[in-house]
Amino acid sequence: MSNLSKEPSFLFGEDTIQYIQHAAATGLYDIRGLGAKRYLPSFDDLLFLAGSASRYPLEGYREKCTTTTVLGTRFAKKPIELKIPITIAGMSFGSLSANVKEALGLAATELGTSTTTGDGGMTSEERLSSKTLVYQCLPSRYGFNPDDVRRADAIELVIGQGAKPGGGGMLLGQKITARVAQMRTLPAGIDQRSACRHPDWTGPDDLTIKIQELREITDWQVPIYIKIGATRVFNDVKLAVHAGADVVVVDGMQGGTAATQKVFIEHVGVPTLVAVQQAVSALEEMNMKDKVQLIVSGGIRSGADVAKALAMGADAVSIGQGVLFALGCNSPTWIDHDGQHIDATEDYTKLETMPGFCHHCHTGKCPVGVTTQDEILEKRLIPEVGARRVKNYFKTLNMELTTIARACGKSNVHHLEREDLVALTVESAAMAHVPLAGTNWIPGLKEI
Amino acid sequence: MDNLARKNSDGKETLLFDLSQTTVRDMNQFLHHNLDKSNVSNIRIIHPDGAHSIAVGLEVPVNIEIEGHAGYFCAGMNKQANVTIKGNVGWSVAENIMSGMVRVKGYASECAGASGHGGTLIIERDASLRCGISMKGVDIIVGGSVGNFSAFMAQAGHLVVCGDAGDGLGDSIYEAIIYVRGKIKSLGADARIEPLTDEDHKVLAKLLALAGFKHDTKEFKRVASARQLYHWNADANQEY
Ligand SMILES: Cc1cc2nc3c(=O)[nH]c(=O)nc-3n(C[C@H](O)[C@H](O)[C@H](O)COP(=O)(O)O)c2cc1C
Ligand code: SF4
């Protein structure tokens, strides 16, 4: 037996020591892409109570189960009608390549769902390839153009993102090619800090008037969404509704990003599970449920996650990271025109990472050509190939969703309800306002 | 629609909108859809009474005169139109202007010309806080003074201030240029005073002439980016 003393510290574990020593050596904080990696209560902590003797299930593959989703019914003359309640989240051109933007548009169009622009404006590729395109109005207003406002199918006013509520955007110089720089009216090669506050309004009263301006410009035709990063969700949703939103998008702290400070990703905001519950409670308290639609995002991976979000009261979900993974993010290979898988592990090594662990979107050197502006790397993602993969992924999610809905006896996925769910842990029961499995106990709400 | 048409000497028409009789929504829809097919070259809007979103989202070269005070977002996202407000304006006049000209005869409240991408905004009296915030190519010429945090994160274009500037002028400025005739209370991060070049004198003289302000360009200081925050820097003491 060795006498080597190896008593690990919980407080100052290996990772923490490494973090402190990195900070000491460089004076830098970490910036990275994707979302929170730490454990957080999530939809995994909920389970469905499907049909049995007391509930009547529908036949798995045969009986109809509707997934049609209508968004923006409150004020817009032309609400958005989607075939599935699963949408593609706003991701900027700049963080993603033009090929990826085109792939997302093609996939969304084939699936009958929407895709969304991002910080940096609308590209012609995505407008041409997307039947239903949501145009983001962000604090930076990079490339913001009234012509694009007029050709959008909905406008999403972004107040915050789940990965970095209260923080602005960040696109490091290595991703700023001439095209990206031109769209953002800035010199190529410099780091771009997108503002965290809108330039032309500040408080909720101004927001009301801002929404009115956008409605006037679009002749009250298209829905106006408000996107918030999940923090004080209950109050923020109420303010968004009060300000006149048709649709509220709530992005939980598991949500992905192209680049932000790690301290933000891991320590700011509340989990999506909490966010959905608080958003739905706010809508219910205002008697606005089903009048204002709710889109939920932040860590949605599977059909089960979608079903749970809908059962808790969301009208649709929105996906970012899952889409990146479908496109090949963190895969050891990329796919060429002949369908061959080409090894990319060396490029992961150059980034000092490996497939399965990469979160290096901020570098612009994405080994599989997803989050890059590099002329060579971006060719690794062929729009048609990417579109097919995203389409397959969303189809799978939708099939899983309808499988669960049918098992719960619902002929429409929007009929899933909180009553269909139980919680596995006391904490998730309290956060989601769903009873702990085997009890009728919702901590903080009801006693046994 | 209660708008009255009158023939001008050039054969074109002037239309009158009375906002005590017509809603802003009806008027804006008319301006968006009926102008380019019409013979109208001039619009007069009376009784604006501080209404918000007057003449937003225009995209035709028409002359508009607003007889009185306008509320928030007046002439927002303007393209091509030439809008004159014979009064004061609320927040964010000509926000995200792309082209054309907006002239405010009176005072402007906060965020005048915010994120303007092109065109010209002239404010004959003072502008409040954050004038020219996030500007991206618009030229803003202010006859009086501007409030704190003006030209915050300004990316491109010119801000001319014939009076004084408040605290934090040009904070985190990129490639926009500011000319100030009066006192500058303080500069924001990465903004610095520089001597005017010959080119600056020419540009400034043109902008002053466009606005009809008679000042000697030699009386102005130039404020531009020191470009110290262009790259992420650990030694910048959290300023970036
Ligand atoms: C690469 C990338 C770029 C993003 N860019 C934007 C953006 O420009 N604007 C925005 O509102 N959100 C942006 N987001 C956040 C997404 O819109 C969405 O809120 C988030 O991805 C949802 O969580 P999920 O990634 O776990 O699905 C981005 C996310 C990623 C992964
Ligand atoms: S593989 Fe590409 S998209 Fe995925 S985390 Fe790495 S850099 Fe980002």
Side-chain angles (χ1 to χ4, degrees):
Chain A
M1 209 160 114
S2 146
N3 287 330
L4 202 62
S5 165
K6 281 178 90 180
E7 186 181 355
S9 163
F10 182 80
L11 195 59
F12 290 92
E14 228 175 294
D15 286 355
T16 307
I17 293 173
Q18 217 178 54
Y19 151 76
I20 292 173
Q21 291 179 346
H22 175 70
T26 61
L28 297 174
Y29 48 35
D30 269 350
I31 292 178
R32 69 168 175 85
L34 300 187
K37 291 194 164 184
R38 53 135 85 196
Y39 165 78
L40 288 166
S42 73
F43 288 124
D44 283 345
D45 300 320
L46 303 182
L47 295 174
F48 276 101
L49 299 176
S52 58
S54 57
R55 291 283 188 285
Y56 194 69
L58 300 186
E59 194 58 55
Y61 293 101
R62 304 215 172 101
E63 286 184 86
K64 201 164 149 42
C65 183
T66 308
T67 55
T68 304
T69 301
V70 183
L71 303 170
T73 52
R74 186 182 183 195
F75 291 121
K77 285 187 195 140
K78 291 187 194 153
I80 283 181
E81 188 172 321
L82 305 176
K83 287 196 184 134
I84 56 172
I86 310 166
T87 65
I88 299 179
M91 293 184 272
S92 58
F93 168 69
S95 70
L96 304 183
S97 69
N99 277 358
V100 171
K101 279 298 207 181
E102 187 181 345
L104 299 184
L106 291 171
T109 302
E110 280 197 51
L111 287 155
T113 189
S114 63
T115 184
T116 313
T117 66
D119 210 2
M122 184 188 285
T123 65
S124 46
E125 288 92 338
E126 67 185 328
R127 179 61 278 187
L128 283 172
S129 62
S130 317
K131 178 170 173 283
T132 308
L133 183 60
V134 182
Y135 186 40
Q136 287 198 329
C137 176
L138 293 116
S140 74
R141 305 290 165 87
Y142 286 145
F144 196 75
N145 189 326
D147 294 337
D148 294 333
V149 172
R150 285 182 275 265
R151 54 189 191 137
D153 300 295
I155 312 287
E156 181 169 294
L157 242 162
V158 179
I159 296 178
Q161 271 177 248
K164 47 182 172 185
M170 185 175 274
L171 198 60
L172 298 185
Q174 56 259 43
K175 291 184 87 164
I176 315 293
T177 59
R179 182 175 179 197
V180 175
Q182 192 250 335
M183 279 182 76
R184 298 179 181 220
T185 333
L186 281 169
I190 70 164
D191 298 345
Q192 298 190 358
R193 298 153 294 150
S194 311
C196 62
R197 295 187 302 266
H198 281 262
D200 53 347
W201 61 273
T202 52
D205 293 336
D206 305 342
L207 174 60
T208 311
I209 310 171
K210 178 70 195 170
I211 290 179
Q212 196 192 89
E213 185 213 18
L214 289 167
R215 291 208 191 275
E216 284 296 323
I217 289 172
T218 54
D219 297 327
W220 295 71
Q221 298 284 319
V222 302
I224 310 279
Y225 298 10
I226 295 185
K227 174 174 178 175
I228 54 177
T231 54
R232 295 174 181 84
V233 180
F234 186 74
N235 289 338
D236 288 349
V237 168
K238 281 186 151 185
L239 289 173
V241 172
H242 194 69
D246 294 300
V247 175
V248 182
V249 183
V250 178
D251 193 23
M253 78 170 280
Q254 290 101 323
T257 175
T260 200
Q261 295 91 334
K262 181 177 157 187
V263 69
F264 240 126
I265 297 180
E266 301 287 7
H267 298 280
V268 183
V270 295
T272 307
L273 192 65
V274 182
V276 198
Q277 176 272 114
Q278 288 199 321
V280 174
S281 302
L283 291 175
E284 283 171 350
E285 194 178 286
M286 296 180 91
N287 203 17
M288 280 296 187
K289 179 94 180 60
D290 302 327
K291 295 185 188 116
V292 169
Q293 283 77 38
L294 173 67
I295 302 180
V296 165
S297 59
I300 304 284
R301 303 151 298 175
S302 61
D305 286 349
V306 181
K308 289 170 190 176
L310 262 51
M312 284 188 64
D315 295 279
V317 300
S318 180
I319 301 188
Q321 292 176 91
V323 167
L324 301 189
F325 291 125
L327 289 168
C329 163
N330 270 290
S331 158
T333 57
W334 55 276
I335 303 168
D336 74 4
H337 279 280
D338 304 322
Q340 299 293 317
H341 283 254
I342 316 287
D343 190 78
T345 42
E346 207 177 295
D347 295 306
Y348 284 97
T349 312
K350 280 189 209 150
L351 293 174
E352 298 180 340
T353 184
M354 56 193 287
F357 299 93
C358 186
H359 52 217
H360 293 53
C361 315
H362 60 290
T363 64
K365 300 198 172 85
C366 176
V368 290
V370 176
T371 50
T372 185
Q373 293 294 320
D374 181 285
E375 267 180 28
I376 296 169
L377 293 173
E378 73 176 0
K379 295 207 173 67
R380 295 186 178 179
L381 193 285
I382 299 160
E384 292 72 25
V385 176
R388 193 169 60 238
R389 294 177 62 92
V390 172
K391 203 177 88 183
N392 285 341
Y393 171 51
F394 273 36
K395 267 177 67 184
T396 308
L397 298 192
N398 203 48
M399 285 191 297
E400 289 174 348
L401 165 65
T402 49
T403 299
I404 288 177
R406 284 193 187 95
C408 292
K410 318 291 192 210
S411 59
N412 183 330
V413 293
H414 297 290
H415 295 166
L416 285 164
E417 54 199 322
R418 210 176 296 183
E419 211 267 322
D420 295 319
L421 294 169
V422 289
L424 274 175
T425 63
V426 174
E427 66 188 10
S428 57
M431 288 180 190
H433 288 189
V434 163
L436 186 66
T439 76
N440 60 359
W441 182 42
I442 299 177
L445 273 193
K446 292 184 201 157
E447 296 302 320
I448 302 176
Chain B
M1 180 130 321
D2 300 318
N3 45 316
L4 304 167
R6 181 165 55 77
K7 270 251 185 316
N8 305 334
S9 52
D10 60 1
K12 298 264 188 187
E13 284 176 19
T14 295
L15 272 191
L16 179 75
F17 286 94
D18 181 348
L19 287 184
S20 65
Q21 308 293 321
T22 307
T23 64
V24 170
R25 192 185 311 185
D26 284 343
M27 180 186 72
N28 281 338
Q29 296 203 359
F30 182 90
L31 299 178
H32 294 164
H33 301 291
N34 301 66
L35 267 189
D36 53 349
K37 298 172 222 129
S38 73
N39 192 31
V40 174
S41 61
N42 291 279
I43 307 264
R44 273 185 72 218
I45 299 170
I46 59 171
H47 297 123
D49 298 343
H52 304 310
S53 305
I54 295 178
V56 294
L58 295 193
E59 43 180 341
V60 281
V62 63
N63 295 312
I64 298 190
E65 291 198 345
I66 301 171
E67 310 273 356
H69 307 307
Y72 282 38
F73 299 112
C74 182
M77 300 195 209
N78 186 58
K79 273 181 80 183
Q80 301 195 55
N82 186 357
V83 183
T84 303
I85 301 109
K86 295 182 172 168
N88 306 325
V89 289
W91 279 46
S92 305
V93 60
E95 68 86 18
N96 218 92
I97 178 174
M98 303 302 287
S99 61
M101 186 186 284
V102 176
R103 180 185 284 271
V104 182
K105 296 287 225 182
Y107 297 90
S109 187
E110 302 193 17
C111 316
S115 81
H117 282 65
T120 312
L121 168 63
I122 297 162
I123 297 157
E124 296 196 355
R125 311 297 280 268
D126 298 329
S128 181
L129 307 180
R130 296 187 289 271
C131 177
I133 179 173
S134 200
M135 56 193 273
K136 295 169 169 58
V138 60
D139 290 325
I140 305 177
I141 309 144
V142 183
S145 299
V146 295
N148 299 344
F149 310 117
S150 287
F152 175 64
M153 283 182 117
Q155 294 173 223
H158 302 91
L159 171 62
V160 179
V161 183
C162 298
D164 302 332
D167 267 322
L169 180 69
D171 194 287
S172 304
I173 189 170
Y174 289 98
E175 297 292 291
I177 310 286
I178 311 171
Y179 303 109
V180 186
R181 183 162 158 268
K183 289 193 285 294
I184 298 170
K185 196 154 178 220
S186 70
L187 291 171
D190 213 27
R192 69 175 182 198
I193 296 177
E194 299 175 346
L196 268 75
T197 62
D198 290 348
E199 182 60 23
D200 283 318
H201 284 290
K202 272 192 225 152
V203 170
L204 180 54
K206 223 169 112 188
L207 293 172
L208 289 169
L210 187 65
F213 299 150
K214 293 191 176 56
H215 299 295
D216 187 342
T217 59
K218 291 198 203 75
E219 295 167 6
F220 286 79
K221 292 176 272 293
R222 171 189 153 113
V223 176
S225 176
R227 299 178 181 165
Q228 297 301 304
L229 297 181
Y230 274 18
H231 294 280
W232 193 62
N233 177 1
D235 299 324
N237 294 326
Q238 290 299 310
E239 281 183 353
Y240 178 20

